[in-house]
Amino acid sequence: MPELLTTPVRIPVPGGKIINEHVGVASTGERAVSVAHMKAPAGWDEPAQTPQFDEVTLVLAGQVRVEHDGGTLEVEAGQSVVTRAGERVRYTVGPDGAEYVAVCLPAFTPETVGREDEGTNA
């Protein structure tokens, strides 16, 4: 039977970024997939990471930059990017900030994200 999810769980992070998890470990206990709606202000960035999950990022507004070992991708509103488990990546946003949806397979957890340094705006 379909299940209506009416209230996402707000994941606290520094740096002014808002994460509302609709499906995942923190919100529903789901470990196979996580779906989160994110809003990041201009200038937001996070440490480089080597996650143990694939991630699909769909940009709704603004721009998300994905730094990787081969360069940088600039993902504009209406575009998406797929990163694979084991790839070293770093996410930042453009000058107008960004709004986007992240889908992680398996679900995101702090233990599986593989952040290199917790000292920035996570």
Side-chain angles (χ1 to χ4, degrees):
M1 179 157 130
E3 177 183 358
L4 178 62
L5 305 173
T6 59
T7 308
V9 169
R10 174 75 48 96
I11 308 295
V13 294
K17 181 178 174 182
I18 297 170
I19 301 176
N20 289 317
E21 185 182 87
H22 291 262
V23 175
V25 174
S27 57
T28 62
E30 177 63 54
R31 293 195 164 277
V33 64
S34 60
V35 178
H37 180 205
M38 316 227 197
K39 292 182 182 180
W44 174 85
D45 66 355
E46 69 180 359
Q49 59 191 33
T50 306
Q52 298 173 26
F53 48 79
D54 292 349
E55 183 169 350
V56 178
T57 302
L58 168 61
V59 179
L60 304 174
Q63 179 191 71
V64 173
R65 293 185 185 118
V66 182
E67 298 172 12
H68 56 94
D69 289 341
T72 301
L73 295 173
E74 296 184 355
V75 188
E76 305 289 340
Q79 296 180 329
S80 57
V81 61
V82 178
T83 59
R84 304 289 179 195
E87 291 181 321
R88 184 178 182 274
V89 294
R90 180 173 178 265
Y91 296 95
T92 65
V93 299
D96 298 323
E99 180 177 0
Y100 55 103
V101 173
V103 179
C104 300
L105 299 156
F108 172 96
T109 68
E111 298 77 28
T112 60
V113 71
R115 286 201 179 104
E116 293 180 8
D117 174 18
E118 294 295 334
T120 64
N121 294 331

